[in-house]
Amino acid sequence: MRWLSLRLRLMLVFALVALAAAVSASGIAYWLNRDAVLTRTQDAALDDFRKSLQDNTAALPPTPTCAELQQAADRMADTTQKYEVLLIGSTQGGRDCAAPSNRDLFTLKVVPKSLRAAVVRERPVDESNRYPYHLYWQRITLDGTPYLVGGAKVIGGGPTGYLLKSLENERQDLNSLAWSLGIATGLALVGSALLAQAAASTVLRPVQRLGDAARRLGEGKLDTRLRVSGTDELADLSRTFNKTAESLEKRVEELSAREAASRRFVADMSHELRTPLTAITAVTEVLEEEAESLDPMIRPAVELVVSETRRLGDLVENLMEVTRFDAGTARLVLDSVDVADQVTACVDARAWLDAVELDAERGIIARLDPRRLDVILANLIGNALKHGGSPVRVAVRTEGDDLVIEVRDHGPGIPEEVLPHVFDRFYKASASRPRSEGSGLGLSIALENAHIHGGEISAANSPLGGAVFTLTLPRDASRLSPEDDGDEEAASPDPDPAAADGGSEAGDGAGDGAGGRSGDRDRDKDGEGPGEGSGKGGDR
């Protein structure tokens, strides 16, 4: 991702634009200078050659000797232009004579055939062409050295002259110019990179601050604000961010206040309900004991009152436990326990021994909160018995530093559309049963108890049929407990002192034998199981 960053892309764009501009400017400058240097050199040499050819051949006889041609060629080459000369003419006797100023370097073979043919070609004289012969030139390379070759024929039957001028100095000058332009291009490229870095820092620094502020805002630091300066687009973006963060902070404060008020209302309501509920429970217990002696017409109503009173009591305890979780006041009271013994005690206390198959080895020791583990197990096993049917298989194993407990039933499984919601509070899988025996809080409380241990509960359907709930807990939850002294949960700022005793834990209702209450998995999720009517042996 670093190689795809905006900073790098911006620098690359600057560099490419600067490189293209520098290369274009350097190329244009090079070709213009090259053309100017070569044109100036060859024009000076050709003009000097034309004048010298005219002056030196005018004094020659109509049929000069080779010696005279040689002397003329030497005189023509002795100029400041430093070129070699080759004169070709007809001597007495009709023989052609070639007189070069440098026999080792300049011979007729050096002159290209096309240039020789153009030089000796006679053109018709008319208004547009005043002379039959003209001066022609061409650039060639001999042994890696550039040369200028030119030629002309003297009008009126004089000799034909050729020049050969070295362009080595001009090439060196042009190479120096090319190096200079290349260095300038490189410096321009480096300068553009530095400018791009400066521009990127100027542009991207506010963007980076905005990204950091957005991350802090996402982490819950709603008081995050940006320092705004300037009137450009980035400043407008920063102002918009500040306004958005301010609105979000106000909105979250309002929602938090409403949520806190709702939690206080639920806690206060649950607390206030406990006193009259205690009196009602005592009355229903008396009515239950006298149910056999009541009129048969009244007995169903009495049984209904007793059942609903117990259900109301469990609901109140569950609401109080949910309030503690929401308020963050729930705490762990850790102890080292044998997990197999803990599962056996949970099943035995609720008279589920005949309906549960236990696959657990003795000696698996875990440091956790036994009471909360009992709540989790009671909800999961009771839920499986209620909706899946016996036998329910409970398997205990370890995976590294984790403790894994699987609860599997043999029922029809959980509908796929229900699976994502099995741990939601008050979720009812069946719209036709909006009022069921459960409160819809059992599995959510079990999940919260797993979370407070640093664990997790997952629900799935087994390929062999039935539903599988998997509880994963760390074998040592000491790092999650602020006070690991084995005392009662007095350190927790509980909204109700009575809620800390063994029977008032919301979800302990999932474990009392009076209702065999467990987690209602996919329908009610409150924790009522098939242990109903088994007595109160499960009360703690």
Side-chain angles (χ1 to χ4, degrees):
M1 293 299 296
R2 181 176 180 83
W3 294 105
L4 298 177
S5 64
L6 183 59
R7 180 185 299 273
L8 181 60
R9 292 201 297 268
L10 187 60
M11 291 181 64
L12 286 177
V13 170
F14 265 81
L16 290 176
V17 170
L19 181 62
V23 169
S24 300
S26 298
I28 293 173
Y30 177 81
W31 286 109
L32 289 176
N33 280 275
R34 179 180 182 274
D35 184 69
V37 168
L38 294 179
T39 300
R40 182 175 64 250
T41 300
Q42 71 186 19
D43 287 350
L46 292 175
D47 288 343
D48 185 82
F49 174 75
R50 179 188 295 109
K51 184 175 182 302
S52 180
L53 180 63
Q54 181 179 359
D55 293 342
N56 286 278
T57 58
L60 292 175
T63 55
T65 64
C66 282
E68 292 174 336
L69 288 176
Q70 185 65 51
Q71 292 175 356
D74 293 337
R75 286 194 303 269
M76 292 177 63
D78 187 17
T79 64
T80 57
Q81 293 297 324
K82 297 181 180 180
Y83 53 76
E84 303 296 334
V85 177
L86 172 64
L87 294 179
I88 300 176
S90 297
T91 61
Q92 296 177 357
R95 294 185 298 106
D96 290 335
C97 177
S101 60
N102 188 339
R103 295 182 180 274
D104 297 332
L105 177 63
F106 195 19
T107 62
L108 190 59
K109 294 181 179 180
V110 173
V111 182
K113 292 181 179 180
S114 58
L115 180 63
R116 282 183 280 170
V119 168
V120 299
R121 182 185 303 120
E122 184 178 2
R123 297 178 179 274
V125 177
D126 53 25
E127 294 182 356
S128 60
N129 184 36
R130 299 173 57 187
Y131 303 102
Y133 300 102
H134 295 273
L135 175 64
Y136 296 93
W137 60 270
Q138 183 176 346
R139 286 194 288 268
I140 63 174
T141 301
L142 297 176
D143 299 329
T145 301
Y147 287 92
L148 172 67
V149 179
K153 184 176 179 60
V154 177
I155 299 174
T160 301
Y162 296 97
L163 72 88
L164 179 68
K165 179 176 178 56
S166 174
L167 300 177
E168 179 65 24
N169 293 334
E170 286 72 16
R171 183 172 70 173
Q172 292 178 359
D173 293 340
L174 292 175
N175 288 341
S176 299
L177 176 63
W179 276 105
S180 300
L181 293 175
I183 293 174
T185 301
L187 293 177
L189 187 61
V190 173
S192 68
L194 296 177
L195 290 176
Q197 174 68 18
S201 299
T202 303
V203 175
L204 297 181
R205 189 178 295 112
V207 176
Q208 184 177 6
R209 287 199 297 265
L210 181 61
D212 295 338
R215 280 190 291 272
R216 291 196 300 271
L217 192 67
E219 293 170 356
K221 300 176 182 177
L222 302 181
D223 58 343
T224 301
R225 298 293 185 273
L226 289 172
R227 186 173 63 256
V228 182
S229 61
T231 58
D232 55 8
E233 291 79 0
L234 292 174
D236 291 340
L237 180 60
S238 299
R239 294 189 185 94
T240 303
F241 175 86
N242 289 340
K243 293 179 181 179
T244 303
E246 184 178 358
S247 301
L248 180 61
E249 184 179 15
K250 291 180 180 179
R251 183 61 176 169
V252 170
E253 288 177 353
E254 293 176 359
L255 294 177
S256 299
R258 293 179 184 177
E259 183 181 2
S262 299
R263 287 199 302 266
R264 286 195 301 271
F265 172 76
V266 173
D268 295 342
M269 179 190 66
S270 301
H271 185 271
E272 294 299 327
L273 284 175
R274 293 191 61 165
T275 300
L277 187 60
T278 301
I280 295 174
T281 301
V283 173
T284 56
E285 289 178 353
V286 174
L287 290 176
E288 186 178 17
E289 293 175 356
E290 300 295 333
E292 296 296 333
S293 61
L294 295 177
D295 188 289
M297 298 295 293
I298 301 177
R299 187 182 303 167
V302 172
E303 293 177 349
L304 178 60
V305 170
V306 172
S307 174
E308 291 300 313
T309 300
R310 289 175 177 170
R311 180 172 176 270
L312 179 59
D314 292 338
L315 177 59
V316 171
E317 298 298 338
N318 287 344
L319 288 175
M320 294 185 69
E321 179 67 0
V322 167
T323 303
R324 283 193 288 273
F325 282 123
D326 290 344
T329 59
R331 296 291 184 270
L332 293 175
V333 179
L334 300 180
D335 194 8
S336 296
V337 298
D338 188 309
V339 180
D341 291 343
Q342 186 73 12
V343 177
T344 302
C346 174
V347 174
D348 183 40
R350 293 157 181 83
W352 292 338
L353 288 175
D354 294 337
V356 176
E357 297 177 356
L358 178 61
D359 180 12
E361 296 181 1
R362 304 291 175 179
I364 299 178
I365 305 299
R367 185 162 183 76
L368 40 75
D369 190 329
R371 185 162 60 89
R372 295 187 183 276
L373 178 61
D374 183 81
V375 171
I376 299 173
L377 293 174
N379 275 284
L380 297 181
I381 298 174
N383 186 74
L385 288 170
K386 180 177 180 180
H387 297 291
S390 59
V392 171
R393 187 174 183 273
V394 180
V396 180
R397 68 178 187 275
T398 58
E399 293 182 356
D401 295 332
D402 292 335
L403 171 68
V404 180
I405 302 177
E406 287 186 354
V407 179
R408 175 174 173 265
D409 61 42
H410 293 78
I414 306 174
E416 292 297 329
E417 66 275 9
V418 176
L419 270 176
H421 306 286
V422 292
F423 295 105
D424 294 349
R425 296 175 182 176
F426 301 107
Y427 179 75
K428 306 285 185 177
S430 175
S432 64
R433 297 172 61 246
R435 185 183 185 281
S436 61
E437 296 178 358
S439 64
L441 291 174
L443 283 183
S444 64
I445 291 176
L447 182 62
E448 294 290 350
N449 278 300
H451 285 170
I452 199 174
H453 280 89
E456 188 59 70
I457 303 177
S458 61
N461 289 314
S462 173
L464 302 177
V468 178
F469 283 79
T470 303
L471 168 65
T472 304
L473 299 175
R475 294 184 64 180
D476 187 356
S478 299
R479 60 183 180 85
L480 301 173
S481 178
E483 296 185 10
D484 185 14
D485 54 6
D487 294 339
E488 293 297 325
E489 203 171 26
S492 172
D494 207 314
D496 184 0
D501 63 30
S504 64
E505 184 80 346
D508 286 353
D512 70 18
R517 287 168 173 76
S518 64
D520 186 4
R521 178 183 66 234
D522 57 343
R523 300 170 179 83
D524 302 335
K525 299 197 341 302
D526 67 321
E528 291 193 7
E532 188 170 352
S534 61
K536 297 184 179 180
D539 287 346
R540 294 189 295 282

